[in-house]
Amino acid sequence: MTVENGYVQADIDPNINLVEEINRLKREKNAVIMAHYYQKGEIQDIADFIGDSLALAQKAVKVDADIILLAGVHFMGETVKVLNMDKKVLVPDLNAGCSLADSCKAEDLQAFINQHPDHTVISYVNTTAKVKALTDIVVTSSNALKVVNSFPADQKIIFGPDRNLGSYINAETGRNMLLWNGACHVHERFSLEQILALKKANPGAEIICHPECKRPIVLASDYVGSTAALLSYIDKSSADTFIVATEEGILHQMKQSFPNKTFIPAPPETETGMCGCNNCEYMKLNTLEKVYLTLKYELPEITLDSELAKQAKRPIDAMLELSK
Ligand code: 13P
Ligand code: SF4
């Protein structure tokens, strides 16, 4: 066995049942699997807990286990580790990054803060621990409006790194936050033209999108919300068809939770049946095989300097306190 290129490389006996083996390892090692909604369906199905970024962070402070395997992307593993420095936090593939988190380097943010010393710093959870350490309070797409509204209307605020989420918050709260110029490459790809064409072909369908989408898509949508909020909205809505503008992994839960409703990913699948446009390739680096090997060898592990973890925990705790 070796850990090469960020994940465990070892032979897997072709005769084993991966799901059974993963469940056995979880019991033996007192481990839990937490998964984000953008994971492959087969990973969501073996998870002990599935959630959006806020729910994963909220769950992370309550987990009673020796090992947490976070099936998601690196910043999510880091957030879980920050909240669980006494536990082993594993991720199936260290290469599972995030284009948004990558768009904001701590040194660059520090320089920006230095130019605006009288501003409060609010960061999206899709950031590294180093960026969180420079932050006053973290938000997720679930609680961003509530957190921003908790500050006085005239408070000067730097918001990063997602300019689309930032524009959405500015529009909804009437603020004028200074926005970092970052974006998620998956959510930026959606084409308004294709979404409107789908709507024309399905006039009864509702358009629902994640606030990481560009402004014209947000404006064309019937509902805007985090992955968890989209699921709750579908439950409440009387519509039976939805055009979904977010990463396609969420469709697994949508179909499972609402088998009588129809979900159309935006943009539509291609003629070959391959939907390559709305996939987060980082999220999809995780596979059942890697989850199995990670649990078996307890590698790769997220490790963090304790002082950095302490600094990064402060704004996450502030967010969790406001989100109770
Ligand atoms: P939420 O889970 O908060 O909706 O965020 C989506 C996302 O982009 C995770 O990377
Ligand atoms: Fe990051 Fe976008 Fe992937 Fe979410 S979907 S993990 S924001 S790159």
Side-chain angles (χ1 to χ4, degrees):
M1 184 279 299
T2 53
V3 178
E4 256 176 74
N5 302 325
Y7 58 95
V8 174
Q9 317 239 352
D11 291 334
I12 299 179
D13 177 350
N15 299 313
I16 64 166
N17 177 315
L18 277 180
V19 172
E20 278 173 21
E21 284 303 301
I22 289 169
N23 284 327
R24 183 183 60 79
L25 287 167
K26 281 199 295 190
R27 281 192 305 275
E28 268 179 30
K29 295 177 182 248
N30 189 25
V32 295
I33 298 179
M34 296 173 63
H36 188 266
Y37 287 127
Y38 293 166
Q39 289 296 285
K40 290 176 201 276
E42 66 216 45
I43 294 182
Q44 296 188 37
D45 290 344
I46 47 114
D48 299 283
F49 183 80
I50 316 167
D52 70 350
S53 309
L54 177 62
L56 289 172
Q58 285 172 322
K59 184 72 182 173
V61 290
K62 296 188 209 137
V63 169
D64 181 20
D66 297 317
I67 296 176
I68 302 173
L69 186 151
L70 188 286
V73 290
H74 193 270
F75 77 81
M76 294 177 176
E78 247 186 15
T79 303
V80 170
K81 182 65 187 177
V82 162
L83 296 168
N84 290 280
M85 286 299 277
D86 58 333
K87 297 188 176 75
K88 202 175 250 189
V89 176
L90 307 171
V91 289
D93 190 330
L94 289 169
N95 299 305
C98 168
S99 52
L100 250 180
D102 287 349
S103 74
C104 188
K105 301 266 174 283
E107 314 80 76
D108 299 337
L109 179 63
Q110 183 63 70
F112 193 56
I113 294 170
N114 293 346
Q115 288 164 17
H116 306 281
D118 53 347
H119 284 56
T120 292
V121 182
I122 304 185
S123 293
Y124 195 26
V125 70
N126 298 38
T127 43
T128 61
K130 282 187 181 167
V131 164
K132 289 188 178 79
L134 300 175
T135 295
D136 293 301
I137 188 162
V138 167
V139 301
T140 75
S141 48
S142 272
N143 59 18
L145 297 177
K146 185 175 180 185
V147 170
V148 170
N149 276 330
S150 74
F151 288 93
D154 59 352
Q155 178 84 42
K156 293 178 180 166
I157 296 172
I158 290 173
F159 180 86
D162 189 4
R163 59 172 179 259
N164 294 323
L165 177 61
S167 302
Y168 172 70
I169 302 169
N170 273 344
E172 292 294 310
T173 63
R175 309 275 170 145
N176 190 20
M177 303 186 300
L178 283 182
L179 304 183
W180 191 262
N181 193 19
C184 158
H185 71 297
V186 179
H187 288 88
E188 284 246 308
R189 277 186 202 141
F190 294 115
S191 136
L192 179 65
E193 224 181 346
Q194 289 192 57
I195 289 174
L196 294 179
L198 273 175
K199 173 80 181 171
K200 207 170 165 193
N202 301 272
E206 288 194 329
I207 302 170
I208 57 174
C209 83
H210 195 279
E212 288 175 22
C213 290
K214 286 192 277 193
R215 189 80 192 137
I217 292 176
V218 166
L219 290 174
S221 293
D222 296 285
Y223 183 75
V224 184
S226 73
T227 47
L230 295 181
L231 283 165
S232 315
Y233 177 74
I234 293 163
D235 194 22
K236 279 181 262 152
S237 167
S238 55
D240 58 15
T241 304
F242 298 85
I243 298 163
V244 184
T246 190
E247 210 271 355
E248 60 84 42
I250 187 72
L251 268 75
H252 182 69
Q253 284 305 312
M254 290 178 174
K255 287 176 187 164
Q256 268 191 357
S257 305
F258 310 103
N260 299 325
K261 299 200 177 198
T262 303
F263 302 100
I264 308 172
E269 294 190 18
T270 63
E271 278 164 25
T272 58
M274 295 292 291
C275 182
C277 305
N278 51 8
N279 248 297
C280 174
E281 58 272 45
Y282 299 116
M283 286 279 180
K284 298 306 192 276
L285 281 176
N286 298 329
T287 60
L288 219 46
E289 287 76 11
K290 284 182 191 164
V291 169
Y292 165 69
L293 290 172
T294 295
L295 269 184
K296 182 170 176 183
Y297 294 106
E298 301 182 21
L299 287 168
E301 184 179 354
I302 299 267
T303 53
L304 272 180
D305 170 75
S306 58
E307 188 49 34
L308 172 61
K310 203 170 136 196
Q311 292 306 319
K313 189 170 184 290
R314 188 183 29 80
I316 300 174
D317 282 345
M319 168 188 82
L320 292 174
E321 188 55 36
L322 257 183
S323 307
K324 277 179 179 165

CSV table of all heavy atoms in Angstrom, one decimal, residues 36 38 51-54 73 75-76 98 124 126 140-142 187 210 212 225-228 283, ligand 1:
chain,number,residue,atom,x,y,z
A,36,HIS,N,-21.3,15.1,1.4
A,36,HIS,CA,-22.0,16.3,0.8
A,36,HIS,C,-22.9,15.8,-0.3
A,36,HIS,O,-22.7,14.8,-0.9
A,36,HIS,CB,-21.0,17.3,0.3
A,36,HIS,CG,-21.6,18.6,-0.1
A,36,HIS,ND1,-22.0,18.8,-1.4
A,36,HIS,CD2,-22.0,19.7,0.6
A,36,HIS,CE1,-22.6,20.1,-1.5
A,36,HIS,NE2,-22.6,20.6,-0.3
A,38,TYR,N,-23.2,16.7,-3.2
A,38,TYR,CA,-22.6,16.6,-4.5
A,38,TYR,C,-21.8,15.3,-4.8
A,38,TYR,O,-21.2,15.2,-5.8
A,38,TYR,CB,-21.7,17.8,-4.8
A,38,TYR,CG,-22.4,19.2,-4.9
A,38,TYR,CD1,-21.6,20.3,-4.8
A,38,TYR,CD2,-23.8,19.3,-5.0
A,38,TYR,CE1,-22.2,21.6,-4.9
A,38,TYR,CE2,-24.4,20.5,-5.1
A,38,TYR,CZ,-23.6,21.7,-5.0
A,38,TYR,OH,-24.2,22.9,-5.1
A,51,GLY,N,-25.4,16.1,4.0
A,51,GLY,CA,-25.9,17.4,4.2
A,51,GLY,C,-25.3,18.5,3.3
A,51,GLY,O,-24.4,18.2,2.5
A,52,ASP,N,-25.8,19.7,3.5
A,52,ASP,CA,-25.1,20.8,2.8
A,52,ASP,C,-23.9,21.3,3.7
A,52,ASP,O,-23.7,20.7,4.8
A,52,ASP,CB,-26.1,22.0,2.5
A,52,ASP,CG,-26.6,22.7,3.8
A,52,ASP,OD1,-26.3,22.3,4.9
A,52,ASP,OD2,-27.3,23.7,3.6
A,53,SER,N,-23.2,22.3,3.3
A,53,SER,CA,-22.0,22.7,4.1
A,53,SER,C,-22.3,23.1,5.5
A,53,SER,O,-21.6,22.8,6.4
A,53,SER,CB,-21.4,23.9,3.4
A,53,SER,OG,-21.2,23.6,2.0
A,54,LEU,N,-23.5,23.8,5.7
A,54,LEU,CA,-23.8,24.2,7.1
A,54,LEU,C,-24.2,22.9,7.9
A,54,LEU,O,-23.6,22.8,9.0
A,54,LEU,CB,-25.0,25.1,7.1
A,54,LEU,CG,-25.5,25.5,8.5
A,54,LEU,CD1,-24.4,26.3,9.3
A,54,LEU,CD2,-26.7,26.4,8.4
A,73,VAL,N,-15.1,17.8,-0.4
A,73,VAL,CA,-13.9,18.4,-0.9
A,73,VAL,C,-13.0,18.8,0.3
A,73,VAL,O,-13.4,18.8,1.4
A,73,VAL,CB,-14.1,19.6,-1.9
A,73,VAL,CG1,-14.7,19.0,-3.2
A,73,VAL,CG2,-15.0,20.6,-1.3
A,75,PHE,N,-11.8,21.6,1.7
A,75,PHE,CA,-12.1,22.6,2.7
A,75,PHE,C,-13.1,22.0,3.7
A,75,PHE,O,-13.1,22.4,4.8
A,75,PHE,CB,-12.5,23.9,2.0
A,75,PHE,CG,-14.0,23.9,1.5
A,75,PHE,CD1,-15.1,24.1,2.4
A,75,PHE,CD2,-14.2,23.7,0.2
A,75,PHE,CE1,-16.4,24.1,1.9
A,75,PHE,CE2,-15.5,23.8,-0.3
A,75,PHE,CZ,-16.6,23.9,0.5
A,76,MET,N,-14.0,21.1,3.2
A,76,MET,CA,-14.9,20.5,4.1
A,76,MET,C,-14.2,19.6,5.1
A,76,MET,O,-14.6,19.6,6.3
A,76,MET,CB,-16.0,19.7,3.3
A,76,MET,CG,-16.8,20.6,2.4
A,76,MET,SD,-18.0,19.6,1.5
A,76,MET,CE,-18.9,20.9,0.6
A,98,CYS,N,-11.3,22.9,-4.7
A,98,CYS,CA,-12.5,23.7,-4.9
A,98,CYS,C,-12.0,25.0,-5.7
A,98,CYS,O,-11.1,25.7,-5.2
A,98,CYS,CB,-13.2,24.1,-3.6
A,98,CYS,SG,-14.4,25.3,-3.8
A,124,TYR,N,-17.0,33.0,2.9
A,124,TYR,CA,-17.8,31.8,2.6
A,124,TYR,C,-17.0,30.6,3.1
A,124,TYR,O,-15.8,30.6,3.2
A,124,TYR,CB,-17.9,31.7,1.1
A,124,TYR,CG,-18.9,30.8,0.5
A,124,TYR,CD1,-20.1,30.4,1.2
A,124,TYR,CD2,-18.8,30.3,-0.8
A,124,TYR,CE1,-21.0,29.5,0.6
A,124,TYR,CE2,-19.7,29.4,-1.4
A,124,TYR,CZ,-20.8,29.1,-0.7
A,124,TYR,OH,-21.7,28.2,-1.3
A,126,ASN,N,-16.3,28.0,1.8
A,126,ASN,CA,-15.5,27.4,0.7
A,126,ASN,C,-14.2,28.2,0.7
A,126,ASN,O,-13.8,28.9,-0.3
A,126,ASN,CB,-16.2,27.5,-0.7
A,126,ASN,CG,-17.5,26.8,-0.8
A,126,ASN,OD1,-18.2,26.7,0.2
A,126,ASN,ND2,-17.7,26.2,-1.9
A,140,THR,N,-22.3,30.0,5.2
A,140,THR,CA,-22.5,29.1,4.1
A,140,THR,C,-23.6,29.7,3.3
A,140,THR,O,-24.2,30.7,3.7
A,140,THR,CB,-22.9,27.7,4.6
A,140,THR,OG1,-24.3,27.8,5.1
A,140,THR,CG2,-22.0,27.2,5.8
A,141,SER,N,-24.0,29.0,2.2
A,141,SER,CA,-25.1,29.6,1.4
A,141,SER,C,-26.4,29.5,2.2
A,141,SER,O,-27.4,30.2,1.9
A,141,SER,CB,-25.2,28.9,0.1
A,141,SER,OG,-25.1,27.5,0.2
A,142,SER,N,-26.5,28.6,3.2
A,142,SER,CA,-27.7,28.5,4.0
A,142,SER,C,-28.0,29.7,4.9
A,142,SER,O,-29.1,30.0,5.2
A,142,SER,CB,-27.6,27.2,4.9
A,142,SER,OG,-28.1,26.1,4.2
A,187,HIS,N,-20.8,26.4,-11.2
A,187,HIS,CA,-22.0,27.2,-11.2
A,187,HIS,C,-21.9,28.3,-12.2
A,187,HIS,O,-22.9,28.9,-12.6
A,187,HIS,CB,-22.2,27.8,-9.8
A,187,HIS,CG,-22.7,26.7,-8.8
A,187,HIS,ND1,-21.9,25.9,-8.1
A,187,HIS,CD2,-24.0,26.3,-8.6
A,187,HIS,CE1,-22.6,25.0,-7.4
A,187,HIS,NE2,-23.8,25.2,-7.7
A,210,HIS,N,-28.7,27.5,-7.2
A,210,HIS,CA,-27.8,27.8,-6.1
A,210,HIS,C,-27.3,29.3,-6.2
A,210,HIS,O,-27.1,29.7,-7.3
A,210,HIS,CB,-26.7,26.8,-6.1
A,210,HIS,CG,-25.9,26.7,-4.8
A,210,HIS,ND1,-24.9,27.7,-4.5
A,210,HIS,CD2,-26.0,25.9,-3.8
A,210,HIS,CE1,-24.4,27.3,-3.3
A,210,HIS,NE2,-25.0,26.2,-2.9
A,212,GLU,N,-24.5,30.5,-6.0
A,212,GLU,CA,-23.2,30.6,-6.6
A,212,GLU,C,-23.4,30.8,-8.1
A,212,GLU,O,-22.4,31.0,-8.8
A,212,GLU,CB,-22.4,29.3,-6.4
A,212,GLU,CG,-21.9,29.2,-5.0
A,212,GLU,CD,-21.1,27.9,-4.7
A,212,GLU,OE1,-20.7,27.2,-5.7
A,212,GLU,OE2,-21.1,27.5,-3.6
A,225,GLY,N,-31.4,29.0,-3.4
A,225,GLY,CA,-31.0,28.5,-2.1
A,225,GLY,C,-29.9,27.5,-2.1
A,225,GLY,O,-29.4,27.0,-3.2
A,226,SER,N,-29.4,27.2,-0.9
A,226,SER,CA,-28.3,26.2,-0.7
A,226,SER,C,-28.9,24.8,-1.1
A,226,SER,O,-30.1,24.7,-1.4
A,226,SER,CB,-27.9,26.1,0.7
A,226,SER,OG,-28.9,25.5,1.5
A,227,THR,N,-28.0,23.8,-1.2
A,227,THR,CA,-28.5,22.5,-1.6
A,227,THR,C,-29.6,22.0,-0.7
A,227,THR,O,-30.6,21.5,-1.2
A,227,THR,CB,-27.3,21.5,-1.6
A,227,THR,OG1,-26.5,21.7,-0.4
A,227,THR,CG2,-26.4,21.8,-2.8
A,228,ALA,N,-29.4,22.2,0.6
A,228,ALA,CA,-30.5,21.8,1.6
A,228,ALA,C,-31.7,22.6,1.4
A,228,ALA,O,-32.9,22.0,1.4
A,228,ALA,CB,-30.0,21.9,3.0
A,283,MET,N,-15.5,17.0,-6.5
A,283,MET,CA,-16.4,16.2,-5.7
A,283,MET,C,-16.3,14.8,-6.2
A,283,MET,O,-16.4,13.8,-5.4
A,283,MET,CB,-17.8,16.7,-5.8
A,283,MET,CG,-18.0,18.0,-5.1
A,283,MET,SD,-18.3,17.6,-3.3
A,283,MET,CE,-18.5,19.3,-2.6
B,1,13P,P1,-24.0,24.2,0.0
B,1,13P,O1,-23.7,22.8,0.4
B,1,13P,O2,-23.8,25.1,1.2
B,1,13P,O3,-25.2,24.4,-0.7
B,1,13P,O4,-22.8,24.6,-1.0
B,1,13P,C1,-22.5,24.1,-2.2
B,1,13P,C2,-21.1,24.0,-2.5
B,1,13P,O5,-20.7,24.6,-3.4
B,1,13P,C3,-20.3,23.1,-1.8
B,1,13P,O6,-19.1,23.1,-2.4
